Amino acid sequence: MRWILLASLLLVAGCSKPQPPVGKWEGGYDNNGTIVVARVEITASGRVKVSAPDITNLQNAKPEQMAMERSRLAAELVHVWDDVEPREFEFDGKTFRKPGGVAPQMVWDKGSNQMTLQLYIGANPALPVVLRPVDGFHDNPFASG
């Protein structure tokens, strides 16, 4: 009788929906003329706030212009963050997808607590933007603090 109860509990536990990690992540990407700054926050209810302003086609930009664009995007991210609406994602324990969607939107590594945002810009393949966990957001998402 005990093994039936144990098997039933394991079956129920195995069928339960994985809960997304609660926390904050931020980071940026700056390569091949593309700059992205990004923030993700997952609440205790599992709703996700995400924002990732970007600029592309800066392959021929001078270093001063690249620095100016990084600063501008970081300021834009800070400015719009309070207006970002949390939304629902499907989460399988590792990958976040839009409800009913197939394409990964974010991938979470449980061991490192690293989040990788899969950013789709135009018709290009997903651009992985690696985000680090943070206790609080910074004015500069590229900072390592």
Side-chain angles (χ1 to χ4, degrees), residues 33-54:
T34 298
I35 303 173
V36 178
V37 294
R39 283 183 179 175
V40 169
E41 181 175 6
I42 303 175
T43 66
S45 68
R47 293 180 55 84
V48 179
K49 286 179 68 169
V50 59
S51 183
D54 67 85

Side-chain angles (χ1 to χ4, degrees), residues 71-108:
S71 294
R72 183 186 66 76
L73 287 173
E76 179 182 333
L77 181 63
V78 170
H79 180 73
V80 303
W81 185 249
D82 288 339
D83 295 326
V84 174
E85 292 292 326
R87 50 189 160 162
E88 300 290 330
F89 284 89
E90 293 176 354
F91 178 66
D92 65 10
K94 180 177 180 177
T95 304
F96 292 81
R97 291 179 171 82
K98 292 179 180 177
V102 175
Q105 302 297 304
M106 297 184 300
V107 178
W108 178 57

